[in-house]
């Protein structure tokens, strides 16, 4: 048996040669295994306890953020508010694809203004209110569609039929973003599928054109629409997959490499 | 030394030799098949890691897609190597400390084959696309009862041996080993029952899964490795544990703290708000049991630091304990819920932490134990000292690379992920060099562990100690007949 404080030489312990002859051939390797019968009684030193104390303090700090313990119904911190992402573009919401952002804005406007008459599926009722689904005036030239929304409409429509007393102007309270959103929404929903976006810039142009009409303030008629407004609204088109701020609908500049954004 | 002491020491030595011999087949079986699984796991790890920076690599094989290779890699590492190495160490330590021979080698070997069959079927199931998608529990759901059953058979004898204390007290390694013996079936059956048999809310399932991962590391692998480290440090250096009080503090704080950790992985998920914070606090508190055990074992080995380089067991254990200290510090630093956790939650830091625990700590200590145990149970010396040194150096350098890159490259990755204006592909581009470094490190470790496995296989040859180790010219000593009277 090696004495407690002597390190057995490597070759003995490891290759089992020297110790073997001492205790007999059958137990060579085991012979050098130290048998330590009692543990030391050294106290836990003050330094170690201090370090442990610091760790306990850190852990306590972490626990302090935990809210009420064993409260299995609360999933969020009390008074939780989303922290805006740091860096450039502070306090901006995360950008989203343009089409989705415009559609989301348009859905709200549609639900507030259009749904009462044209219905949740934009099918109208066939007597007083025409369908927007499949309407060529909705999916066709954007300026004609904008004039109807902003000024209302009287007389026969695209299918030659007249509906009730006509449509009143919807311009009150609509911002260019709202107009752009609701036009994009109607043109890409209810089975309509133009795939393009009526941008905020186009909607601003539509408001100007509407204000500059000869019969400003009156409902438009099919004749006027065909004569003056059968064209697209001016303005650069917007890639439906480009990232925009979902609130302002303005394009977001990213530090993305050009290849990152998928092109249609 | 007086003659009575000497003869009782000789008796002890003969008894130890008899115990070792009775354990030859079970221990060698678990270590060798474990090493084979380790080599396979590392090969899968190389493939999975290569796919991170080179997605077309082996891209035409459905069974080698990242989503299958990576779980196969981790599960082979955990159940193929980790648990089997643990079995070998548990069997040997419990038998040595109780002074009893291996209870029933045939039964253990049979159960060991069943375990290997389960791991093989499970890994094949993952590669065939039947994985469950739950980290560290990816084996198809019919595997876990097989593993649990064979586990119970394998350790039953060791469990019973705990009752026997020839020295009149329970040694520190026995505390840890016995605790791990109880904790494994507890966490394994809890997690598998809750996730496979009584599925609840899927978000909470992710929480249970995260808890299971943490518990497997800190309630099974850590106590087994700490038990081995305490025991081997004492055996090799011949010195007692310096502070019994510190050892008790370390053990009981581990038992109390570790089961609370794990849920920090779910910070920000819609789980009850306090759970991730409790997990993070427990992870930070794990510093205490880890540090206590590390101080105690290092104090035992410190006086022998001069001869340290000559002893692979001490080398591996010291490297493992060093990794353990890194784990302790990182688990304080990485899991602060409001500052560092968002950076590490979805980045490589988590993987780095897993590998640091599984390989850097647990496996290195198991290698140290292997180099100590195998010559004793196999009755022959290791063939080549060079192979052992190569294994050590490659393992340690590979480990340092992976942990450095994964823990701190993971930080970089986390910061890129937090920058919402940078598209996801940009995050990949930023971290590409780190991915290449991880593949390189896995290659180093694969290389060294293939030789470790071969070395172990060669140790299966018949015992050579009589032939090789008596002095030249002397007649070979007679082999003592070990019958029951040598075993008290």
């Amino acid at each position: 048996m090696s004495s407690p404080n002597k390190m057995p030489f490597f070759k003995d312990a490891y290759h089992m040669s020297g110790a073997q002859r001492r205790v007999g051939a059958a137990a060579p390797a085991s012979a050098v295994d130290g048998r330590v019968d009692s543990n030391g009684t050294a106290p836990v030193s003050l330094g170690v306890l201090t370090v442990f104390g610091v760790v306990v303090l850190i852990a306590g700090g972490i626990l302090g953020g935990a809210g009420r313990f064993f409260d299995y119904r609360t999933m969020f911190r009390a008074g939780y508010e989303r922290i805006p992402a740091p860096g450039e573009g502070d306090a901006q919401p995360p950008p989203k694809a343009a089409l989705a952002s415009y559609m989301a804005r348009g859905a709200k406007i549609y639900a507030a203004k259009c749904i009462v008459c044209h219905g949740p599926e934009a099918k109208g009722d066939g007597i007083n209110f025409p369908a927007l689904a499949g309407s060529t005036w909705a999916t066709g030239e954007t300026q004609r569609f904008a004039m109807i929304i902003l000024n209302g409409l009287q007389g026969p429509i695209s299918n030659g039929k007249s509906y009730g007393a006509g449509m009143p102007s919807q311009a009150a309270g609509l911002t260019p973003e709202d107009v752009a959103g609701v036009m994009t929404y109607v043109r890409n929903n209810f089975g309509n599928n133009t795939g393009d976006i009526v941008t905020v810039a186009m909607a601003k142009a539509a408001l100007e054109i509407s204000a500059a009409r000869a019969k400003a303030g009156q409902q438009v008629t099919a004749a006027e629409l065909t004569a003056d407004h059968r064209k697209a609204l001016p303005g650069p088109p917007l890639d439906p997959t480009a990232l925009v701020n979902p609130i302002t609908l303005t394009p977001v500049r990213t530090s993305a490499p050009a290849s990152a954004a998928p092109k249609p | 030394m007086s003659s009575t002491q000497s003869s009782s020491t000789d008796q002890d030595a003969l008894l130890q030799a008899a115990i070792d011999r009775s354990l030859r087949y079970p221990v060698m079986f678990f270590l060798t098949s474990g090493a084979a699984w380790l080599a396979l796991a590392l090969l899968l790890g190389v493939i999975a890691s290569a796919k991170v920076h080179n997605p077309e690599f082996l891209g035409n094989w459905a069974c080698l897609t990242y989503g299958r290779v990576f779980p196969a890699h981790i599960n082979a590492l955990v159940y193929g190597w980790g648990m089997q190495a643990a079995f070998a160490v548990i069997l040997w330590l419990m038998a040595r400390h109780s002074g009893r021979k291996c209870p029933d080698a045939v039964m253990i070997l049979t159960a060991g084959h069943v375990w290997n069959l389960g791991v093989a079927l499970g890994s094949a199931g993952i590669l065939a696309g039947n994985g469950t998608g739950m980290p560290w529990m990816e084996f198809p759901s019919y595997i876990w009862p097989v593993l649990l059953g064979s586990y119970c058979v394998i350790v039953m004898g060791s469990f019973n041996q705990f009752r026997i204390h020839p020295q009149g007290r329970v040694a520190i390694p026995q505390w840890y080993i016995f605790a791990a013996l109880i904790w494994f079936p507890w966490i394994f059956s809890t997690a598998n029952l809750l996730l496979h048999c009584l599925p609840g809310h899927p978000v909470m399932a992710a929480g249970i899964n995260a808890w299971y991962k943490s518990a497997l590391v800190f309630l099974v692998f850590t106590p087994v490795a700490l038990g081995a480290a305490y025991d081997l440090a004492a055996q090799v250096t011949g010195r007692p544990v310096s502070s019994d009080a510190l050892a008790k503090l370390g053990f009981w704080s581990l038992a109390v703290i570790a089961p609370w950790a794990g849920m920090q992985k779910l910070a920000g998920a819609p789980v009850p708000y306090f759970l991730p914070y409790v997990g993070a606090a427990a992870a930070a508190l794990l510093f205490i049991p880890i540090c206590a055990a590390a101080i105690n074992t290092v104090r035992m080995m410190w006086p022998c630091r001069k001869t340290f380089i000559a002893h692979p067991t001490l080398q591996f254990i010291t490297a493992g304990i060093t990794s353990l200290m890194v784990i302790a510090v990182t688990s304080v630093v990485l899991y602060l819920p409001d500052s560092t956790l968002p950076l590490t939650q979805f980045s490589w830091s988590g993987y780095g932490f897993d590998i640091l625990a599984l390989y850097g700590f647990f496996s290195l200590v198991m290698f140290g134990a292997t180099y100590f145990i195998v010559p004793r149970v196999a009755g022959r010396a290791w063939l080549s000292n060079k192979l052992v040194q190569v294994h050590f150096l490659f393992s340690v350098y590979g480990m340092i690379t992976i942990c450095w890159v994964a823990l701190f490259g993971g930080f970089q990755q986390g910061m890129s992920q937090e920058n919402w204006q940078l598209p996801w592909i940009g995050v990949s581009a930023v971290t590409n060099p780190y991915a290449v470094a991880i593949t390189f490190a896995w290659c180093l470790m694969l290389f060294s562990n293939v030789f470790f496995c071969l070395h172990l296989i060669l140790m299966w040859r018949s015992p050579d100690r009589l032939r090789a180790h008596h002095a030249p010219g002397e007649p070979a000593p007679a082999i003592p007949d070990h019958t029951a009277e040598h075993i008290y």
Side-chain angles (χ1 to χ4, degrees):
Chain A
M1 192 71 204
S2 58
S3 70
N5 292 320
K6 188 171 151 263
M7 165 80 180
F9 183 56
F10 165 59
K11 292 244 151 116
D12 283 0
Y14 184 50
H15 281 310
M16 313 180 295
S17 55
Q20 174 193 16
R21 285 192 297 281
R22 195 156 46 80
V23 292
S30 315
V32 294
D33 297 353
R35 270 290 285 277
V36 185
D37 287 340
S38 65
N39 298 334
T41 52
V44 184
S45 75
L46 199 61
V48 171
L49 284 180
T50 313
V51 173
F52 288 0
V54 171
V55 172
V56 170
L57 283 181
I58 294 175
I62 295 173
L63 270 187
R68 269 185 61 209
F69 290 107
F70 306 106
D71 173 4
Y72 287 93
R73 277 166 302 178
T74 311
M75 306 283 176
F76 303 99
R77 188 190 312 157
Y80 174 76
E81 247 181 79
R82 196 180 178 285
I83 306 165
E88 138 191 23
D90 261 344
Q92 281 187 7
K96 281 188 189 157
L99 189 59
S101 306
Y102 275 78
M103 296 280 279
R105 172 68 71 99
K108 281 185 193 162
I109 303 301
Y110 188 87
K113 292 226 170 215
C114 320
I115 204 166
V116 182
C117 300
H118 292 287
E121 289 171 7
K123 287 186 176 147
D125 66 353
I127 302 158
N128 290 315
F129 313 117
L132 301 177
S135 159
T136 51
W137 281 7
T139 57
E141 286 76 4
T142 50
Q143 188 170 327
R144 180 170 56 189
F145 185 30
M147 288 310 118
I148 300 171
I149 294 172
L150 293 174
N151 297 288
L153 175 65
Q154 204 178 26
I157 63 157
S158 59
N159 58 10
K161 213 172 144 191
S162 288
Y163 283 82
M167 170 175 162
S169 163
Q170 302 295 324
L174 285 187
T175 64
E177 287 79 11
D178 295 339
V179 175
V182 78
M183 287 179 71
T184 306
Y185 181 70
V186 172
R187 287 164 63 81
N188 292 289
N189 206 355
F190 315 121
N192 298 343
N193 188 18
T194 60
D196 60 5
I197 288 177
V198 179
T199 65
V200 177
M202 293 177 193
K204 276 181 186 154
L207 287 170
E208 284 162 15
I209 293 167
S210 171
R213 273 176 62 221
K215 297 181 196 166
Q218 294 183 26
Q219 290 162 309
V220 293
T221 58
E224 183 192 345
L225 287 176
T226 312
D228 298 342
H229 302 299
R230 203 172 170 189
K231 46 194 151 183
L233 286 165
L238 180 63
D239 176 3
T241 61
L243 294 182
V244 300
N245 180 322
I247 308 297
T248 65
L249 301 183
T250 49
V252 173
R253 254 175 231 290
T254 60
S255 48
S259 63
K263 296 276 185 264
Chain B
M1 249 185 208
S2 75
S3 64
T4 34
Q5 271 176 333
S6 166
S7 101
S8 100
T9 313
D10 288 356
Q11 286 284 322
D12 279 356
L14 292 173
L15 171 68
Q16 287 185 348
I19 293 170
D20 287 348
R21 217 176 22 249
S22 77
L23 286 166
R24 172 181 167 143
Y25 289 103
V27 167
M28 285 299 286
F29 171 76
F30 284 124
L31 285 177
T32 316
S33 56
W37 277 112
L38 176 63
L40 185 66
L42 295 189
L43 179 65
L44 293 170
V46 170
I47 296 174
S49 174
K51 281 168 177 291
V52 173
H53 52 83
N54 194 5
E56 285 84 27
F57 178 64
L58 298 176
N60 293 329
W61 301 65
C63 65
L64 293 181
T65 43
Y66 183 82
R68 298 188 192 177
V69 171
F70 183 77
H73 147 67
I74 280 285
N75 281 271
L77 190 62
V78 169
Y79 301 102
W81 155 248
M83 286 308 293
Q84 296 209 80
F87 290 152
V89 166
I90 288 170
L91 289 173
W92 186 77
L93 275 181
M94 282 308 226
R96 273 291 192 96
H97 280 279
S98 69
R100 290 291 191 278
K101 286 209 240 179
C102 173
D104 188 342
V106 175
M107 196 174 66
I108 291 175
L109 279 171
T110 312
H113 280 90
V114 174
W115 177 278
N116 271 282
L117 188 70
V119 176
L121 282 178
S123 305
I126 294 174
L127 290 178
N130 296 328
T132 61
M134 306 165 186
W136 294 28
M137 296 172 58
E138 275 106 341
F139 285 160
S141 55
Y142 49 83
I143 296 293
W144 73 269
V146 178
L147 295 187
L148 189 62
S150 50
Y151 168 86
C152 291
V153 176
I154 290 166
V155 301
M156 198 164 50
S158 302
F159 189 83
N160 284 330
Q161 281 175 339
F162 178 74
R163 289 177 301 166
I164 307 160
H165 315 126
Q167 294 171 32
R169 65 185 179 83
V170 184
I172 295 170
Q174 281 174 295
W175 308 346
Y176 279 110
I177 298 289
F178 187 67
L181 284 183
I182 299 171
W183 286 335
F184 177 76
W186 168 48
I187 60 167
F188 190 71
S189 56
T190 303
N192 281 291
L193 277 173
L194 285 178
L195 294 185
H196 291 315
C197 305
L198 311 162
H201 194 281
V203 178
M204 210 52 221
I208 294 166
N209 195 200
W211 170 80
Y212 170 75
K213 263 179 76 173
S214 161
L216 197 60
V217 167
F218 289 111
L219 291 175
V220 179
F221 289 137
T222 299
V224 168
L226 284 181
Y230 265 115
D231 184 82
L232 295 174
Q235 291 213 39
V236 173
T237 64
R239 292 167 53 84
V241 174
S242 73
S243 171
D244 195 49
L246 195 60
K248 284 201 175 97
L249 174 68
F251 176 79
W252 286 110
S253 55
L254 182 73
V256 171
I257 293 166
W260 293 91
M263 294 266 190
Q264 68 270 19
K265 193 79 191 153
L266 266 78
V271 294
Y273 182 68
F274 73 95
L275 281 176
Y277 282 81
V278 170
L285 280 176
L286 279 171
F287 182 88
I288 292 172
I290 288 175
C291 196
I295 289 173
N296 246 346
T297 44
V298 168
R299 268 203 203 140
M300 266 190 278
M301 297 187 282
W302 185 247
C304 306
R305 61 192 178 279
K306 298 257 166 55
T307 44
F308 173 85
I309 193 67
H311 206 295
T313 299
L314 287 190
Q315 283 179 333
F316 273 105
I317 289 180
T318 312
I321 295 290
T322 311
S323 301
L324 185 63
M325 282 310 298
V326 178
I327 291 175
V329 175
T330 46
S331 65
V332 174
V333 177
L334 289 186
Y335 292 139
L336 302 173
D338 296 321
S339 55
T340 50
L341 189 56
L343 302 182
T344 59
Q345 201 174 5
F346 301 112
S347 68
W348 282 332
S349 299
Y351 180 61
F353 193 81
D354 293 347
I355 294 302
L356 187 62
L358 277 181
Y359 197 99
F361 166 52
F362 176 76
S363 297
L364 288 188
V365 173
M366 289 300 111
F367 294 146
T370 303
Y371 286 121
F372 190 83
I373 295 172
V374 167
R376 286 157 179 76
V377 299
R380 54 180 304 130
W382 288 102
L383 297 176
S384 158
N385 194 18
K386 283 227 171 55
L387 271 182
V388 180
Q389 289 308 314
V390 166
H391 185 212
F392 178 74
L393 291 176
F394 276 47
S395 288
V396 167
Y397 283 115
M399 198 58 243
I400 291 173
T401 313
I402 288 194
C403 292
W404 186 256
V405 165
L407 287 175
F408 297 96
F411 250 80
Q412 173 100 29
Q413 190 187 15
M415 284 189 278
S416 308
Q417 288 170 355
E418 286 286 297
N419 178 6
W420 51 266
Q421 293 175 326
L422 189 64
W424 205 251
I425 190 111
V427 179
S428 274
V430 166
T431 50
N432 205 33
Y434 298 120
V436 175
I438 290 184
T439 308
F440 175 71
W442 276 130
C443 287
L444 286 185
M445 278 143 75
L446 172 64
F447 175 79
S448 72
N449 280 299
V450 166
F451 282 97
F452 173 63
C453 183
L454 292 177
H455 208 169
L456 267 174
I457 290 171
L458 290 172
M459 294 292 277
W460 276 91
R461 293 185 303 170
S462 57
D464 69 344
R465 55 189 168 205
L466 297 179
R467 199 162 22 83
H469 289 294
H470 69 269
E474 281 178 29
I479 306 169
D481 178 25
H482 287 290
T483 44
E485 69 263 23
H486 293 110
I487 316 293
Y488 52 86

